[in-house]
Amino acid sequence: MDDFMRAAFEQAQKSFDEGGIPIGSVIVHEGSIIGRGHNRRVQKGSATLHGEIDALENAGRLAASVYRESVLYTTLSPCPMCSGAIELYGFKKIVVGENQNFMGAEDHLRSKGVEVEVIHSAECTELMARFIQEKPELWYEDIGQ
Ligand SMILES: [Zn+2]
């Protein structure tokens, strides 16, 4: 796990410690983190604040060119909503912690020319698996099931 995925994982751990869904994300531009976030559906009673959306929100309003030059890191394979935002803003590359607990819209992103690198992190996989085992109702609500 590199420093950027480590930062995303720390966001996931923070959410877990808050009783929320442990998915974290950071956005990296020119070697620096410009936005970080974690899933806040539970904490905020939000319908849309997945980790990736929270990171985008915390990065603030940016020029289109910044997104195209940025890499989005997320601890879990991005769902269709977050993949839609990744597509909309023209990210060329994302790095995914794991896709064993949930397979998101990776094929769709690849079909749009987005490079999707999956690092198969044991830490990301174990934290998410633990959460799903402990709080399955929160997890299935998060993915609309
Ligand atoms: Zn999502």
Side-chain angles (χ1 to χ4, degrees):
M1 187 185 294
D2 69 12
D3 288 348
F4 299 131
M5 188 57 78
R6 172 68 52 195
F9 181 76
E10 285 170 1
Q11 289 290 312
Q13 184 69 56
K14 185 177 178 197
S15 190
F16 184 89
D17 293 343
E18 292 169 354
I21 297 159
I23 303 169
S25 178
V26 300
I27 296 166
V28 176
H29 182 249
E30 294 182 342
S32 299
I33 295 174
I34 58 170
R36 58 186 87 210
H38 58 267
N39 189 303
R40 293 185 202 261
R41 287 189 77 251
V42 173
Q43 294 93 321
K44 295 253 185 188
S46 168
T48 54
L49 276 180
H50 281 190
E52 301 91 325
I53 301 296
D54 193 43
L56 281 164
E57 184 66 21
N58 289 334
R61 180 182 153 202
L62 299 167
S65 61
V66 177
Y67 298 111
R68 288 196 294 266
E69 295 164 355
S70 295
V71 178
L72 184 142
Y73 287 72
T74 180
T75 57
L76 183 68
S77 186
C79 79
M81 175 176 73
C82 297
S83 295
I86 290 163
E87 180 187 345
L88 174 70
Y89 287 118
F91 284 88
K92 290 191 169 63
K93 180 176 180 179
I94 67 168
V95 181
V96 173
E98 62 107 349
N99 60 12
Q100 285 185 47
N101 287 299
F102 177 76
M103 176 56 81
E106 292 179 14
D107 287 345
H108 174 77
L109 287 171
R110 288 191 180 100
S111 79
K112 296 293 178 179
V114 180
E115 181 185 350
V116 180
E117 180 185 348
V118 183
I119 67 163
H120 303 289
S121 158
E123 285 169 282
C124 292
T125 307
E126 285 163 14
L127 181 63
M128 197 64 214
R130 181 179 164 197
F131 179 81
I132 293 170
Q133 190 174 23
E134 289 179 2
K135 298 179 176 174
E137 70 288 354
L138 285 180
W139 166 237
Y140 289 110
E141 181 188 299
D142 194 67
I143 53 174
Q145 293 179 15

